[in-house]
Structure formats: C-alpha cells, structure tokens
C-alpha cells in the first residue's frame, strides 16, 4: 500500500512524465501533491532532503544523478521528515531569527 501511495505521489509530482523529479518539482509537489504547507515553507529542509536522496543510488541515466527517481523517493520522504524536525527545533532556539544560534540563545 505504501509503495502504491509513493508511486501515485511521484507520478502526480512529475508533470513532464520523465520519471525524474527536479528540486523545483519536488518543492512544488510538497505543497500541491502532498499538501504539506508547513514543510513547503521550510525550504532548507526540502533542499537538504533532496540533496541526500538524489545521491542514494547511482543512476543508469546520464541525467539521473541530478534528480530523484522513484527508487530514491522513499528516502527523500524519510529525510524530509528528519530535516524538517531539525529545522523546527533550530527555529525554536533561534530567537533572533538571524539563522544563527548565539550562546545566549543556546
């Protein structure tokens, strides 16, 4: 069942149907396909999860190493959850909203 749900999600997020998801397609899919508005606003979490997931396996395609394929999509979702938790924890600590944690905030 989960495999099927991931297949539906990746197909819906792949507007050109080439079997690869770019960072822009993943970003848009987080909001439009998965309906995760809070995570959509956490761009650093999406970017980190994308970078990790695209390097999980070596692609047989000449362009595949720059994109997420279906076999990497599950890893992207797992990584996105973890990085979003890090993002939220960091945001709570960063009282100055300056993207840094100073000694006083820690």
């Amino acid at each position: 069942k989960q495999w099927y749900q991931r297949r539906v999600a990746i197909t819906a997020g792949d507007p050109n149907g080439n079997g690869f998801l770019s960072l822009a397609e993943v970003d848009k899919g987080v909001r439009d396909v998965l309906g995760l508005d809070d995570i959509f606003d956490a761009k650093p979490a999406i970017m980190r999860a994308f970078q990790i997931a695209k390097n999980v396996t070596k692609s047989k395609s000449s362009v595949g190493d720059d994109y997420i394929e279906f076999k990497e999509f599950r890893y992207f979702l797992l990584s996105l959850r973890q990085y979003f938790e890090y993002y939220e924890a960091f945001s709570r600590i960063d009282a100055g909203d300056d993207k840094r944690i100073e000694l006083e905030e820690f």
Side-chain angles (χ1 to χ4, degrees):
K1 180 180 175 180
Q2 291 176 346
W3 180 92
Y4 179 74
Q5 290 172 326
R6 287 192 304 273
R7 177 58 76 182
V8 168
I10 199 168
T11 301
D14 183 15
N16 54 10
N18 65 358
F20 300 103
L21 293 179
S22 68
L23 178 57
E25 290 169 337
V26 166
D27 189 40
K28 188 174 184 314
V30 164
R31 183 192 63 210
D32 298 347
V33 176
L34 300 177
L36 303 174
D37 291 333
D38 290 339
I39 294 178
F40 178 74
D41 294 333
K43 299 296 185 204
I46 294 171
M47 290 187 320
R48 296 297 172 266
F50 181 84
Q51 294 299 322
I52 292 291
K54 76 180 182 74
N55 294 323
V56 168
T57 61
K58 183 75 175 149
S59 177
K60 294 177 182 165
S61 169
S62 62
V63 296
D65 287 338
D66 295 328
Y67 299 91
I68 291 179
E69 298 177 58
F70 178 72
K71 60 186 173 183
E72 300 161 327
F73 189 61
R74 180 176 182 268
Y75 197 78
F76 167 75
L77 294 173
L78 293 171
S79 299
L80 181 59
R81 178 178 181 214
Q82 189 65 49
Y83 280 107
F84 182 68
E85 288 179 16
Y86 294 152
Y87 177 84
E88 285 297 304
F90 183 89
S91 295
R92 283 193 295 272
I93 294 170
D94 182 24
D97 258 351
D98 58 358
K99 307 289 187 240
R100 300 183 306 179
I101 298 177
E102 297 178 23
L103 186 57
E104 297 80 28
E105 295 171 324
F106 193 68

